[in-house]
Amino acid sequence: MAQSLDDIVKVNVIVSPMAQSAGTFDIGLIVGKSTVISASDRVKIYSSLADMKAGGWTGTEPEYVAAMLYFSQNPTPSKLVVGRWDASADPAETPEKAVEACRAANNDWYGCYVADATATEIQAVAAAVEAMSPESVYFYDTDDADVASGTAGNIMETLKGLGYSRTFGLFSSTSYAGAAVMGYAMGANTGGANSAYTLAYKALPGVAPDPLTTTQVNYILGVNGNVYTTYGVNYKLLVQGTMASGVHFDEILNLDMLKAEIQIGAVNALVAAKKIPQTEDGLSLLISAIEEQCEKSVTRGAIAPGVWKAAPILSLQPGDVLSKGYLVLAGRIADQTQDEREARKAPPIYVPVKMAGAIEHVVINVTVNR
């Protein structure tokens, strides 16, 4: 009888833990009062309008009409989450509670839209999304005459005053036009090389441009709202791509992605290693894991080389060049207190980044000599 080779050479196969991803930033949520989805199910995921039809939607529901605009954008988003707003409950569920319940039921979506929300409800949802975890963004539309006329206290002015950086408002007379903006935002976020984008100057198939006066456009843009209107003879454009706080949507999206990727990269490094020693070499392992994640933002075109103009961070001084668009700095192990060492904490790690930004306004001077 043959003896086991294990007596001579024993081979152990150790499978490393599977690394986790940072989540999705290309799926939207549409919430409505229709009863196709039960309150107990709360959400359903669809890949197309045909998929929705197969799931019991007739094609007349507000959620379906909004989904038509969502899926009509180019590039087309690959998935949509539809959520139930249980307005028939006793007492009736508020829209912000419905969105929060959809978040508890599903973490896949990043953008959200609530069909047929009033101005008061828009403000309540905006407040809920501002504090939501994981981070999300809220798209809404309004054709409120108070916005177009610049009447004090209108919803766009109110949200600007509140400084909400996770709420994108569109003035539009097309029903559910906000879902179209969300559809473009989710579809364009492919994560590939040079895939970074802005929402400025984009076309929105299915949305009619509004015949706004220059005064109306300037007011809406001034309260950090957005419009879809005609420029020149042929251009139908979404302008200006900003959140209620005035920050551009692409900056919020790209920083959310960077934050999530850095976090999951560091956690994956801790999980994959048998031990990360509390030494400079161990700290270098964490720094390398973070740098690997930062490179993803460089590849997408979200961050780029530039001159640091903010406050000093450790050795980084104003005027220094971030040659890769980012830098990962950390305090010294030798400077840690005994309490920090016993708690097995790493020294503080800093990741200064330089956003690539975008050019959206140009002045061209033409000089003619006769």
Side-chain angles (χ1 to χ4, degrees), residues 28 134 144 205 314 330:
D144 189 346
L314 298 182

Side-chain angles (χ1 to χ4, degrees), residues 262 265-266 285-295 328 349 351:
I262 288 175
L285 292 175
L286 283 175
I287 290 174
S288 295
I290 294 169
E291 289 175 337
E292 181 181 354
Q293 300 304 315
C294 290
E295 284 296 325
V328 183
I349 298 175
V351 188

Side-chain angles (χ1 to χ4, degrees), residues 271-284:
V271 170
K274 293 176 64 177
K275 171 185 176 180
I276 294 182
Q278 201 166 6
T279 63
E280 294 297 340
D281 286 342
L283 190 56
S284 294

Side-chain angles (χ1 to χ4, degrees), residues 240-300:
Q240 54 193 347
T242 55
M243 314 304 277
S245 65
V247 176
H248 288 81
F249 165 79
D250 55 289
E251 290 191 11
I252 298 296
L253 170 64
N254 288 320
L255 289 175
D256 281 349
M257 294 175 70
L258 177 63
K259 174 186 174 182
E261 287 166 349
I262 288 175
Q263 183 180 51
I264 205 70
V267 171
N268 282 338
L270 290 168
V271 170
K274 293 176 64 177
K275 171 185 176 180
I276 294 182
Q278 201 166 6
T279 63
E280 294 297 340
D281 286 342
L283 190 56
S284 294
L285 292 175
L286 283 175
I287 290 174
S288 295
I290 294 169
E291 289 175 337
E292 181 181 354
Q293 300 304 315
C294 290
E295 284 296 325
K296 295 179 180 179
S297 286
V298 174
T299 299
R300 287 192 294 264

Side-chain angles (χ1 to χ4, degrees), residues 148 212-220:
L212 300 170
T213 67
T214 301
T215 299
Q216 290 172 323
V217 169
N218 288 342
Y219 173 76
I220 294 170

Side-chain angles (χ1 to χ4, degrees), residues 85 94-96 114 116-128 138 140-142 144 153-156 158-159 162 164:
W85 171 3
T94 61
E96 69 272 18
V114 178
D116 299 320
T118 66
T120 300
E121 291 168 339
I122 288 170
Q123 184 175 339
V125 174
Y138 172 45
Y140 77 90
D141 51 69
T142 180
D144 189 346
N154 66 72
I155 185 60
M156 285 190 170
T158 298
L159 293 176
L162 292 169
Y164 288 161

